[in-house]
Amino acid sequence: MSNLLNLSRIRNIFFILGVLLCMSLSAAAQNRTITGIVTDASDGEPLIGATIMLPGNTSGGAVTDLDGNFKIIVPQSTKTLTVSYVGYISQHVTITGSNIAIKMQNDQKSLNEVVVIGYGTARRSDLTGSVSTVQSKDFNKGMVSSPEQLINGKVSGVQIMSNSGSATAGSTIRIRGGASLNASNDPLIVLDGVPLEQGGISGNSSNFLSMINPNDIESITVLKDASSTAIYGSRASNGVIIITTKKGAEGKLKIAFNTTNSMQTRTKLIDMMSRNDFVNTIKSQGTTAQQALLGNADTDWNDQVYHTAFGTDNNLSLSGKIGFLPFRVSTGYMNQNGLVKNDNVGRWTGNVVLSPSFFQDHLKVTVNAKGTYNNNQFYNSNAIWAAATFNPTQPIYMSNQTYGGYYESLDASGLPVNGGVRNPLGLVDQNTSKSTVKRFIGSVDLDYKLHFFPDMKLHATMGTDISEGKGTVYVPLEAASNYSTYGLDYGYGPQKNTNRLLTLYANYSKYFEDIKSNVEATVGYDYQYWKSTTPAYATLDAKGDILSQIKASDYRHVLLSYYGRLNYTYDGKYLLTATMRRDGTSRFSPDTRWGTFPSIALGWTLTQENWLKDNKVLSNLKLRASYGVTGQQDGIGNYNYLPIYTQSVDGAQALMNGQYIYTYRPEAYVSNLKWETTSSWDFGLDFGFLDNRLSGSFDFYTRKTKDLLATVPSAAGTNFAKNILTNVGNVDSHGIEFSLNANPIKTKDWDWNLSYNLTWQKMKVKNLSLVKGSTATNILVGPSIDSYQFQVLSEGYEPYMFYVYHQLYDQKTGKPIEGAYADLNHDGQINSADLYRYKSPAPDYIMGLSSSLRYKKFTFSASFRANIGNYVYNGMAMSTGAWETVSYNSFQLNNLNNSYVKTGFQSRQYLSDYYVENASFLKLDNLSLSYNFGNVGKYISGLTLSALVQNVFTITKYTGVDPEVPNGMDNSFYPRPRTYSLSIGLQF
């Protein structure tokens, strides 16, 4: 009986197994495998880590690999797949076969676009550092001659100031205020993977960056904190700006042409007396001899020096793909006159980008070649001072042709008065200074994804930056400006600069689905070599006689680097970035030339947590924290650690035993110079609401710079100079950055985008003493006027504060009392011990506001900038606003500044805080209206017409020409123009 029961049980088990097997076979027969590739619709690049799911499912699915490929098993009845990728618009894709190609559109609203970082790219959602990217569509428009002006006012923590209104002027760029005092505070600029050398070249020393055509730029990324910059190690203390240029793409040939034509006019000039006010002042207050120097003419000298300036910028590009070869070729021509006559820059540019792929995209090659030919004509900087101060009652010309026919003030012997102001128009017309500069920047990038190990990519960049600059100076023999030297006629250069780069790195990237982890590791090596040579030359007068000799120069340095970076992401929520770089430079001795620069950063994306993931209001929330160390070795010279002897030049030999021989002069040096290092903390918050219609970020940072490279007094008898460059002291800084982006209106006809950024920052000098524990050091720095310096470096204070006397005022009239200053130390006398530190040129707050409003095919845009808390020393008011300045000799009168009416000063009050003025301002930088015609006819696929105004207005209490001047010192500043432009863009 028991045996029968057992047999029955066995039959039942086999029956059940058979049913289950049949069900399994039936289910297998009803499933199918789908394979495919997911790419970016705009450029065809594969998307790594895209998620493919069955509709309605929240688990399972598949993730694309490094090539964007995926494989997923779905039921036979499944008709669609859901595809999602951070930064792209999710979509439902119809299954049309066993292999499908999916192209995803970038979500322009998202904060999670792919951004360029050091030695690679990253999704914004994976970033742990403070990184800001400005795309070409958001650049400042109008007549823009240099790349940095494209993002002026667009990025929190970044201050960009044009050094003057000249067509040949460059800009000062500061990221988080800079980290040094004497070493460079300029950020590292990386162009398509090639770090560029700081500084300029003969014939273009102030605006070297302008040799990159802004029209060729696709995006500009700013790396601000140590987590993002430490991968660049010794050059990253002042931040990094990564410039990425446009490249070719898939599709048919595209032709684009745009032209911008502009007119520049004067805005505000130096506040000098009118002709009538000047005459009345001389007649009422001048001596008989001074009154006799009044003429009968009525000359506006500003009209003789300044003129309406015209400019044009034209660019043509062709892009597409021929066979296997994507390409982009462009050329550009820009010509811009300055407001001052004979101020002009002309630039021709050419750019070729080839980006083929081989071996089924395992090997990707990018070839970049950029060439620039630049012609400059430089204005006579003395003409601005002369136009302000030259006697307005004198004529432009005189019958005496001795000095080219220009009216000049002559002494009793008929010579131009010694130390007098020269005819402003003569200064412009009789000075011809020109230069020619050529520059080539080229690179070859190789990306090879190993066939046998596709998670590993090898990368090599070979780059070069070669430039050459030379120029000529000519002042005719009869020019009064150089009558004592018989004019000038000489050439200089060519200076030749070479920058060579080799970058090698390996990148491993893999998503481990089982543990929900993405790991990316990079290790690399850099070699960069710089060389700058200038031949000896002589300055000659117009007769050909030698005035002075300039010795030849040959400067070289090398930087070797080893670096690594690890990025780890768990479940899309928890982020870790760690970097390490070790740099060695030839600028320091073998004992101190190597430096190590680490960083670590953590991130937490709260909106990926289950309890926030489906929140309909909060679309993005991420916390960031980072710490890192970066270095500095730029702006200090190449050989300051070596005992260098300088040979005398011709005309400076020593007479010994009846013969002139060359001598050798020892230079000051410090053998143990080492890295200036900056340690930084950054705490950040990224947020987004309503599908990122409202988004932004908040950062708080601190920086401490130690082993500061500063020029300080050396102890008597210890070196060959009174001041030496050495490692001394510390500088601390901290700040807050806030940015906000809003898209309050978005409909078919209306689209309004707003962007606002705010920066608050403070710096303090902690130590400047060579000997620890010694008394505080005050070092006078900054620009000078008549041997007076107005700024100081002091321990415990902001750098570059004004060092002045506290002016006393008449209680009844409110006017300043000449020579009356506060006795701040209460010793009963007024001397240098009563100087005090008063205000700073650095603003407390920097703000930017951009608005773009589209209605159908019209777009109206505006960009504002504001600085609050910055002060400027009005050197022009001081230098021309005292009675003594009306006449320095018996033969000439000079115009007076209107500040004289307010003060009545008889002599110049150089160090009075009366001239330190609040220079806070609000500027409307750009105003534009454009109309997009769209397709026009058969061949024109796009036509855009734009009208633009730049430097629209400035609201400020500052009484000088412009509240935004270099170093906080206003002394005959070249006024920035107001620019009106018309722009036409065509696409074919």
Side-chain angles (χ1 to χ4, degrees), residues 81 205 239 244 248 307 449 543 560 602 688:
L81 294 173
S205 59
T244 303
H307 66 163
K449 183 173 56 179
K543 299 187 298 180
L560 298 179
L602 300 173

Side-chain angles (χ1 to χ4, degrees), residues 307 357 488 520 625 639 659 697:
H307 66 163
S357 298
L488 296 171
E520 182 187 12
Y639 312 117
Q659 291 185 333
S697 65

Side-chain angles (χ1 to χ4, degrees), residues 666-687:
E667 301 289 347
Y669 75 99
V670 176
S671 61
N672 61 346
L673 278 178
K674 59 182 177 180
W675 298 97
E676 179 179 287
T677 56
T678 300
S679 302
S680 305
W681 286 93
D682 187 280
F683 302 93
L685 169 70
D686 299 329
F687 59 87

Side-chain angles (χ1 to χ4, degrees), residues 767-840:
N767 177 37
L768 281 175
S769 304
L770 283 171
V771 180
K772 188 175 181 179
S774 60
T775 58
T777 303
N778 292 325
I779 302 173
L780 293 176
V781 292
S784 62
I785 299 177
D786 297 338
S787 76
Y788 286 89
Q789 285 185 284
F790 303 86
Q791 292 167 299
V792 69
L793 297 178
S794 301
E795 295 175 5
Y797 296 88
E798 280 189 76
Y800 305 105
M801 294 187 75
F802 295 105
Y803 202 46
V804 290
Y805 293 111
H806 181 52
Q807 180 70 52
L808 298 180
Y809 295 82
D810 188 299
Q811 293 184 353
K812 293 182 179 180
T813 65
K815 286 189 173 184
I817 304 171
E818 183 165 352
Y821 304 117
D823 181 11
L824 296 182
N825 65 349
H826 307 291
D827 65 353
Q829 56 184 343
I830 303 298
N831 53 31
S832 60
D834 294 300
L835 292 169
Y836 79 115
R837 301 161 196 87
Y838 177 62
K839 303 299 183 181
S840 167

Side-chain angles (χ1 to χ4, degrees), residues 18-59:
V19 172
L20 289 174
L21 179 60
C22 290
M23 291 175 63
S24 299
L25 291 173
S26 175
Q30 293 174 3
N31 286 345
R32 56 176 171 163
T33 300
I34 304 297
T35 61
I37 184 172
V38 181
T39 59
D40 186 311
S42 63
D43 57 16
E45 287 293 312
L47 298 181
I48 306 166
T51 302
I52 296 89
M53 303 285 291
L54 274 68
N57 283 18
T58 58
S59 61

Side-chain angles (χ1 to χ4, degrees), residues 648-675:
S648 61
V649 297
D650 291 341
Q653 300 101 320
L655 180 63
M656 299 183 68
N657 298 326
Q659 291 185 333
Y660 287 98
I661 64 171
Y662 293 103
T663 60
Y664 290 86
R665 181 183 71 253
E667 301 289 347
Y669 75 99
V670 176
S671 61
N672 61 346
L673 278 178
K674 59 182 177 180
W675 298 97

Side-chain angles (χ1 to χ4, degrees), residues 848-866:
L849 174 65
S850 298
S851 172
S852 177
L853 176 64
R854 179 188 62 81
Y855 172 68
K856 293 185 177 180
K857 294 186 178 183
F858 286 96
T859 301
F860 177 75
S861 300
S863 295
F864 295 84
R865 268 188 317 116

Side-chain angles (χ1 to χ4, degrees), residues 949-967:
V949 185
Q950 295 165 265
N951 193 19
V952 184
F953 64 72
T954 300
I955 299 174
T956 182
K957 293 181 178 180
Y958 180 64
T959 61
V961 172
D962 196 306
E964 200 174 19
V965 294
N967 306 307

